[in-house]
Amino acid sequence: MNTLAEPPEKTAAPASAAQRETVERLTAGRVQIEAELGKVIVGQKDVIEQILIALFAGGHCLITGAPGLAKTLLVKSIARIFHLKFQRIQFTPDLMPADITGTEILQDTGEGRRMTFVRGPIFANILLADEINRTPPKTQAALLEAMQEHQVTAAGVRHALEEPFFVLATQNPIEMEGTYPLPEAQLDRFMFNVVMDYLEENDEVAVVTRTTAAPPAAIEALFTGEDVLRFHEIVRQVPIAEEIVRYAVRLAAASRPHQEGTPDFINEWASWGAGTRAAQYLVLGAKVRALLKGRAHVTVEDIQTLAQPTLRHRILLNYRAEAEGMTVEAVIKRLLETLKPPLTA
């Protein structure tokens, strides 16, 4: 199922009593979710917000960070809060595509032997693809159809995945030994690339103190899969001005080198830029952020705040940029400073 097949449109705000109740639950739920996650996760406020935005928007999320930063614990805890079926795959160099999607085996039945499809761990609501860049691109690509179409094809037969379906993948920095860069097509399927960094000293002290004391309190389920699907419907009804949609489109387009109107520094440092899907995710994520902030409309700030996680894995810098010590985060920051936002609040 391609949830982003159509471009974002300006729609009316939720009007019915049921819709208003869903919006209120979504807005109030953020505080409850943060309280539950606080039982096991210290700090990482921006990381949690970005993952929740992806979840409520129906998008997949890539979490980048060094080992030992509680990436797996965070994803597992979110699955518990939403009472969703959780599966974890440890990606290794010898992992095969069938180990993810499932395979057909010959089984004895009452009517004789026949091929039967045995489902793989991908048949879950939340799939944690742990250290996804430690497996070769052939196995990474096994997720492409599932992420885009929410289905798996085996022996010419399509098997629908359970809804809602999310892939939350963790990856180690590509400079680490034994990692394989994800192909551009694979990266583009992720709504956000969330960077999880080391904690500040006080937070790290709190983690060490907590994890060497009594076990943490159990995380309670606050929502269900049906709630998440209703959130997806409500999010798409949040109104957004055409000027802000156009700003998101121009922001993505400005990252493409050697196009009309592209800034000189992009032509100098970038070898590849963001596609249309980036603008779609910017708008969709901005709608979720607006609701989480208690607003019924999208602002320029929503777009600008989500520019880094949306664009950082879609802009590929060239050797010149690397030689000059330029980072993709610095390029995105300069894009935001260069591109004039609309006057719409």
Side-chain angles (χ1 to χ4, degrees), residues 45-82:
K45 182 178 179 181
D46 291 341
V47 171
I48 292 172
E49 180 183 69
Q50 291 166 19
I51 293 176
L52 290 179
I53 289 175
L55 191 73
F56 290 138
H60 310 292
C61 201
L62 182 65
I63 309 172
T64 303
L69 295 181
K71 300 187 293 294
T72 302
L73 177 61
L74 175 58
V75 175
K76 187 182 294 185
S77 301
I78 289 175
R80 289 176 181 172
I81 289 174
F82 288 93

Side-chain angles (χ1 to χ4, degrees), residues 192-250:
F192 292 154
N193 179 5
V194 179
V195 173
M196 202 166 181
D197 207 349
Y198 290 105
L199 295 171
E200 297 180 356
E201 182 177 326
N202 289 338
D203 287 340
E204 194 163 355
V205 169
V207 169
V208 173
T209 302
R210 180 182 300 183
T211 55
T212 55
I219 291 179
E220 298 181 7
L222 302 176
F223 302 96
T224 65
E226 290 73 17
D227 291 328
V228 176
L229 293 176
R230 281 195 289 270
F231 293 156
H232 292 173
E233 296 176 1
I234 292 298
V235 163
R236 291 177 174 272
Q237 298 179 46
V238 175
I240 180 170
E242 180 182 343
E243 292 81 2
I244 297 181
V245 176
R246 193 174 298 277
Y247 176 65
V249 170
R250 287 176 174 171

Side-chain angles (χ1 to χ4, degrees), residues 13-302:
S16 70
Q19 290 173 329
R20 287 196 297 270
E21 181 182 356
T22 302
V23 170
E24 291 171 1
R25 286 198 66 195
L26 178 59
T27 305
R30 176 181 179 176
V31 177
Q32 296 173 302
I33 292 168
E34 290 177 348
E36 288 300 312
L37 289 177
K39 296 178 180 179
V40 294
I41 302 295
V42 176
Q44 307 293 0
K45 182 178 179 181
D46 291 341
V47 171
I48 292 172
E49 180 183 69
Q50 291 166 19
I51 293 176
L52 290 179
I53 289 175
L55 191 73
F56 290 138
H60 310 292
C61 201
L62 182 65
I63 309 172
T64 303
L69 295 181
K71 300 187 293 294
T72 302
L73 177 61
L74 175 58
V75 175
K76 187 182 294 185
S77 301
I78 289 175
R80 289 176 181 172
I81 289 174
F82 288 93
H83 197 58
L84 297 173
K85 182 180 178 181
F86 172 82
Q87 291 279 15
R88 174 181 176 272
I89 303 175
Q90 180 62 52
F91 279 69
T92 57
D94 60 348
L95 191 72
M96 299 298 292
D99 297 330
I100 299 172
T101 60
T103 186
E104 285 198 330
I105 62 173
L106 188 63
Q107 286 187 334
D108 287 322
T109 65
E111 301 176 354
R113 292 186 175 184
R114 64 175 57 184
M115 299 298 292
T116 303
F117 179 70
V118 178
R119 295 185 170 193
I122 200 170
F123 287 85
N125 297 122
I126 291 185
L127 176 69
L128 172 59
D130 210 0
E131 297 186 303
I132 189 175
N133 62 336
R134 288 204 180 275
T135 198
K138 177 182 178 180
T139 304
Q140 294 173 7
L143 291 174
L144 279 174
E145 180 185 14
M147 294 174 67
Q148 186 67 21
E149 306 296 337
H150 290 206
Q151 67 179 26
V152 169
T153 302
V157 179
R158 297 179 180 179
H159 304 271
L161 298 173
E162 301 177 45
E163 297 291 349
F165 173 71
F166 306 98
V167 174
L168 297 178
T170 69
Q171 72 169 357
N172 299 318
I174 60 174
E175 295 82 6
M176 296 188 68
E177 184 178 354
T179 59
Y180 301 82
L182 272 68
E184 287 77 9
Q186 180 88 34
L187 285 171
D188 199 40
R189 295 320 193 268
F190 288 101
M191 181 176 184
F192 292 154
N193 179 5
V194 179
V195 173
M196 202 166 181
D197 207 349
Y198 290 105
L199 295 171
E200 297 180 356
E201 182 177 326
N202 289 338
D203 287 340
E204 194 163 355
V205 169
V207 169
V208 173
T209 302
R210 180 182 300 183
T211 55
T212 55
I219 291 179
E220 298 181 7
L222 302 176
F223 302 96
T224 65
E226 290 73 17
D227 291 328
V228 176
L229 293 176
R230 281 195 289 270
F231 293 156
H232 292 173
E233 296 176 1
I234 292 298
V235 163
R236 291 177 174 272
Q237 298 179 46
V238 175
I240 180 170
E242 180 182 343
E243 292 81 2
I244 297 181
V245 176
R246 193 174 298 277
Y247 176 65
V249 170
R250 287 176 174 171
L251 188 59
S255 70
R256 304 165 194 160
H258 310 299
Q259 302 293 316
E260 184 179 354
T262 299
D264 291 338
F265 66 91
I266 292 294
N267 292 329
E268 182 179 357
W269 290 327
S271 58
W272 191 261
T276 303
R277 188 179 277 113
Q280 291 175 312
Y281 279 140
L282 274 172
V283 169
L284 199 55
K287 289 185 176 186
V288 177
R289 187 176 187 273
L291 288 181
L292 291 178
K293 296 293 184 181
R295 288 184 274 104
H297 64 283
V298 177
T299 67
V300 170
E301 182 191 2
D302 294 322

